Amino acid sequence: MTTASTATASPFIHIAPEGKRLDATNAAAFKARAVGALAQGTRAIVDLSQLQFLDSSGIGALVGIARHLGAEGELRLVVPNPQVRSLLSITRIDKILPVFNDAQSAEA
Amino acid sequence: MSAATRLELMLEPRLSSTERLLDALHGLPCGRSCVAEEAPGIALAAAEALTNIVRHGLPLRAIALSIEVHDDRVVVELRDSGRAFDMCAGAAQLPPDPLAEHGRGLFLIRESVDACDYRRVGAENIHRLEKRI
């Protein structure tokens, strides 16, 4: 499952995976739902605040969402979990997608 | 040194088995917390290895998982009946292109553990992952 919402004044569509894990079991479904939710916009914040486990499939889904948005779009990540942040650093995802500690910072 | 704690499970050869694997690592006490908390790299490496076995190894039978928790390290061993495939080969690898959607699994296995060993015994692949605590 995925939740998506647009705050009235926000230019970003907010998307969050349900559950504490984004991995091989749910990454493809998350990407598909996120891409569907992004039909009306090109700027998105994926909120991974509840995430405790991310694997290569989950990272692939995030990259897939960013690629779907294209050069004109923008994807920001909310990642407070230090282990998940470390993984994004090791894989250099944080070089192509901006990472924030909370949604408020990501909106700024 | 003898194992302080040892757990063995048989996992069905499907992706959803990673849930059982991760739940097992979260349930095993280790230091002040559980294995998944004290040695998160082993959880990631084991999950990536299991995913690779299911996706690419085409195992015919259940995958045997064993977890040993020692005072100073955690050891995960995965045995499968799929085609020969060494996930530990090529230790010194650069990170994959960050714009790629696939191809990070083996890199993360090697990055996340202190030792990754593979051997083929008969028709069985045996991957042994070790992480110091």
Side-chain angles (χ1 to χ4, degrees):
Chain A
M1 291 292 289
T2 306
T3 58
S5 64
T6 307
T8 308
S10 173
F12 292 93
I13 294 172
H14 288 246
I15 305 163
E18 288 196 359
K20 296 178 178 179
R21 296 169 183 164
L22 183 57
D23 58 21
T25 64
N26 60 359
F30 170 68
K31 178 189 166 186
R33 292 191 181 103
V35 167
L38 290 168
Q40 304 302 317
T42 58
R43 302 181 78 190
I45 293 173
V46 172
D47 190 338
L48 303 177
S49 297
Q50 302 305 311
L51 216 61
Q52 293 182 356
F53 182 80
L54 177 69
D55 75 354
S56 63
S57 300
I59 293 172
L62 297 174
V63 173
I65 295 166
R67 291 174 65 134
H68 171 80
L69 290 171
E72 302 301 314
E74 183 179 9
L75 177 61
R76 299 180 177 186
L77 304 178
V78 175
V79 187
N81 184 307
Q83 291 172 12
V84 176
R85 283 182 89 107
S86 171
L87 189 56
L88 296 176
S89 174
I90 290 169
T91 53
R92 300 186 298 168
I93 298 303
D94 60 354
K95 304 295 184 198
I96 60 166
L97 299 177
V99 180
F100 300 86
N101 276 324
D102 53 63
Q104 192 175 7
S105 304
E107 282 271 1
Chain B
M1 185 185 297
S2 62
T5 308
R6 182 180 171 88
L7 175 69
E8 294 184 352
L9 287 175
M10 296 301 290
L11 303 173
E12 291 299 313
R14 55 186 181 218
L15 291 177
S16 59
S17 290
T18 55
E19 276 192 55
R20 279 193 75 197
L21 184 154
L22 292 171
D23 287 344
L25 288 168
H26 272 281
L28 274 176
C30 173
R32 287 173 295 181
S33 181
C34 63
V35 170
E37 293 288 331
E38 295 292 319
I42 198 76
L44 176 60
E48 294 286 357
L50 179 59
T51 296
N52 267 295
I53 291 168
V54 173
R55 279 188 173 153
H56 307 300
L58 307 175
L60 299 173
R61 297 188 297 275
I63 299 158
L65 165 73
S66 76
I67 306 168
E68 287 183 5
V69 184
H70 300 259
D71 291 341
D72 60 347
R73 67 194 189 282
V74 179
V75 179
V76 171
E77 192 173 87
L78 290 158
R79 293 172 175 253
D80 74 270
S81 61
R83 61 187 180 192
F85 180 39
D86 182 359
M87 288 184 267
C88 303
Q93 242 196 10
L94 291 173
D97 178 356
L99 292 171
E101 289 190 48
H102 305 283
R104 293 181 181 84
L106 298 184
F107 168 77
L108 287 177
I109 291 172
R110 296 163 197 148
E111 279 289 309
S112 304
V113 294
D114 296 304
C116 179
D117 300 304
Y118 168 80
R119 62 188 195 277
R120 179 85 174 175
V121 178
E124 197 173 51
N125 295 303
I126 304 173
H127 284 91
R128 182 181 180 280
L129 309 169
E130 181 175 320
K131 180 74 174 176
R132 287 191 294 272
I133 299 170

